[in-house]
Amino acid sequence: MQNILLILILFSVCCIPTRSQNINDWIGLWKGELVVLHEAGTDKMSSVHMQLHISKTDSANILNWGIIYRDSTKDYRKYLLRIVDKSKGKYLIDERDGILLEANLFESTLVSRFEVTGTLLEVSYKLDDDKIVFEVTTSQLKPTSTTKSTVDQVEVNSYTVTNIQRAYLFRSQ
């Protein structure tokens, strides 16, 4: 178990971004289908049209970050992406209602992890050439099992993933 912990520590230290991709490369209107995989091991899924609108604002350190599910008349989330420290890849997704979600940019992937009413969510946006891969993974905050190393007595909590949402968003403008 010590080896695993050492590898995890080294991996986290080595993988701190040394450069952040230019977030302005993300500007545009992105469209695609969001597929929701409801249960692991089954083919239960649903889908909905999704758009991501990223545009400049009057501030050099703030971008409009709008998400539309279905159509703009029903569900248009007009967020802001705030650049906190570009050199360290630190950002905030401002939901404009008091909620600020910390996000980190690792080269071409913006990642945010947060908890809402007992559900842990990890949301990622990966700029990959001509598309953005948007993914949300959810699990319950309470571990489903806890095991312990017989050698080092280190406890490890496991969490059941309750669903995955994924969209391939292609630049429209």
Side-chain angles (χ1 to χ4, degrees):
M1 189 55 147
Q2 278 182 325
N3 291 342
I4 292 172
L5 290 175
L6 181 60
I7 290 169
L8 289 173
I9 292 167
L10 289 174
F11 181 75
S12 66
V13 170
C14 293
C15 294
I16 293 172
T18 55
R19 65 172 181 84
S20 293
Q21 181 179 350
N22 184 355
I23 200 72
N24 287 325
D25 292 345
W26 296 54
I27 290 175
L29 172 61
W30 304 84
K31 295 181 179 182
E33 286 296 310
L34 176 68
V35 175
V36 181
L37 306 169
H38 292 284
E39 290 180 40
T42 73
D43 57 0
K44 291 185 181 181
M45 68 174 75
S46 60
S47 68
V48 63
H49 183 71
M50 178 183 173
Q51 295 181 34
L52 176 62
H53 296 206
I54 305 170
S55 62
K56 292 183 179 183
T57 66
D58 292 338
S59 172
N61 292 320
I62 300 173
L63 293 174
N64 291 308
W65 192 268
I67 300 173
I68 297 174
Y69 298 105
R70 293 178 187 80
D71 68 65
S72 61
T73 60
K74 294 180 181 167
D75 196 355
Y76 189 179
R77 301 172 187 202
K78 297 180 181 182
Y79 301 152
L80 297 172
L81 182 67
R82 297 182 178 276
I83 302 168
V84 176
D85 189 336
K86 188 175 181 178
S87 68
K88 293 181 180 175
K90 294 190 178 288
Y91 294 77
L92 285 174
I93 298 171
D94 183 346
E95 293 192 2
R96 297 175 133 178
D97 63 357
I99 295 174
L100 300 171
L101 304 173
E102 293 182 19
N104 300 94
L105 184 63
F106 293 89
E107 291 186 348
S108 64
T109 304
L110 184 70
V111 181
S112 182
R113 183 179 293 154
F114 54 94
E115 178 260 331
V116 177
T117 62
T119 301
L120 183 63
L121 293 96
E122 181 168 292
V123 180
S124 67
Y125 302 82
K126 180 177 179 162
L127 182 61
D128 186 13
D129 295 326
D130 65 337
K131 67 184 171 294
I132 291 178
V133 180
F134 170 76
E135 189 165 278
V136 179
T137 304
T138 63
S139 65
Q140 294 303 308
L141 194 57
K142 182 180 175 187
T144 52
S145 68
T146 302
T147 54
K148 186 184 285 189
S149 162
T150 56
V151 177
D152 299 326
Q153 298 299 305
V154 175
E155 282 192 355
V156 176
N157 293 320
S158 294
Y159 301 85
T160 298
V161 173
T162 52
N163 83 35
I164 294 177
Q165 303 172 28
R166 184 178 303 123
Y168 297 95
L169 305 172
F170 295 90
R171 193 184 302 265
S172 175
Q173 292 179 353

